[in-house]
């Protein structure tokens, strides 16, 4: 099985790359499970990524998890100093200021399951309008198809 995700990360990333960063599990102060870098129970976690577009404050990124660890994409992006917009658990911004000075909030994590391929099936889901609008506000350009 192969999966591709599209996300809007708060930060700058290389044009493309691979993160091979083992992930374990921990709990935050509120008791919620989260992925942690390293640790005694860490398992291999591999994510390939390609930046599709950039703005001054964000990167529109396509992510392909090679392994499937809990919160793998979110943890790898946060470790790369580019957490997803709306991802409070991993340090992503929940609001931003537009060019005209308006403060805008996002109520979800800016991550979308774009495509899945199985041996007998392949499916694709369009980028949600909410995230397309977010990217347009951040970059003042439409999201690539």
């Amino acid at each position: 099985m192969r999966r591709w995700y599209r996300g809007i990360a708060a930060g700058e990333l290389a044009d493309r790359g691979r993160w091979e960063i083992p992930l374990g599990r921990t709990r935050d102060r509120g008791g919620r499970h989260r992925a942690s870098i390293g640790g005694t129970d860490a398992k291999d976690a591999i994510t390939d990524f390609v930046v599709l577009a950039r703005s001054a404050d964000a990167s529109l990124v396509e992510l392909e998890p090679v392994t499937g660890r809990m919160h793998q994409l979110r943890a790898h992006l946060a470790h790369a100093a580019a957490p997803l917009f709306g991802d409070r658990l991993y340090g992503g911004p929940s609001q931003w200021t537009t060019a005209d000075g308006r403060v805008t909030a996002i109520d979800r994590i800016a991550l979308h399951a774009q495509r899945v391929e199985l041996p007998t099936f392949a499916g694709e889901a369009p980028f949600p309008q909410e995230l397309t609008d977010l990217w347009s506000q951040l970059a003042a350009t439409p999201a690539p198809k």
Side-chain angles (χ1 to χ4, degrees):
M1 180 169 100
R2 292 182 70 188
R3 300 152 301 187
W4 292 267
Y5 294 79
R6 190 172 283 190
I8 303 173
E12 192 172 319
L13 296 166
D15 290 343
R16 62 179 51 245
R18 172 175 271 204
W19 294 306
E20 296 184 38
I21 304 166
L23 296 175
R25 287 190 181 192
T26 189
R27 289 183 187 261
D28 69 3
R29 292 180 190 173
R32 295 176 296 182
H33 284 283
R34 61 173 285 158
S36 63
I37 303 300
T40 56
D41 66 337
K43 296 179 181 171
D44 289 343
I46 302 168
T47 302
D48 291 329
F49 71 92
V50 175
V51 173
L52 303 173
R54 300 177 192 285
S55 76
D57 301 317
S59 298
L60 181 65
V61 63
E62 184 175 86
L63 304 153
E64 182 183 2
V66 177
T67 57
R69 306 287 173 239
M70 179 185 79
H71 299 181
Q72 174 177 318
L73 303 176
R74 296 166 64 189
H76 280 171
L77 281 161
H79 185 70
L84 292 162
F85 274 83
D87 192 354
R88 293 181 183 107
L89 186 60
Y90 291 93
S94 58
Q95 61 185 25
W96 69 96
T97 304
T98 61
D100 63 3
R102 289 181 296 123
V103 175
T104 305
I106 183 170
D107 295 327
R108 64 167 284 185
I109 297 170
L111 183 64
H112 172 67
Q114 188 78 21
R115 181 167 175 73
V116 64
E117 289 182 359
L118 302 167
T120 60
F121 171 81
E124 193 162 329
F127 204 48
Q129 189 63 47
E130 177 183 15
L131 296 182
T132 298
D133 293 346
L134 169 62
W135 179 255
S136 294
Q137 290 175 19
L138 289 166
T141 61
K145 299 287 182 204

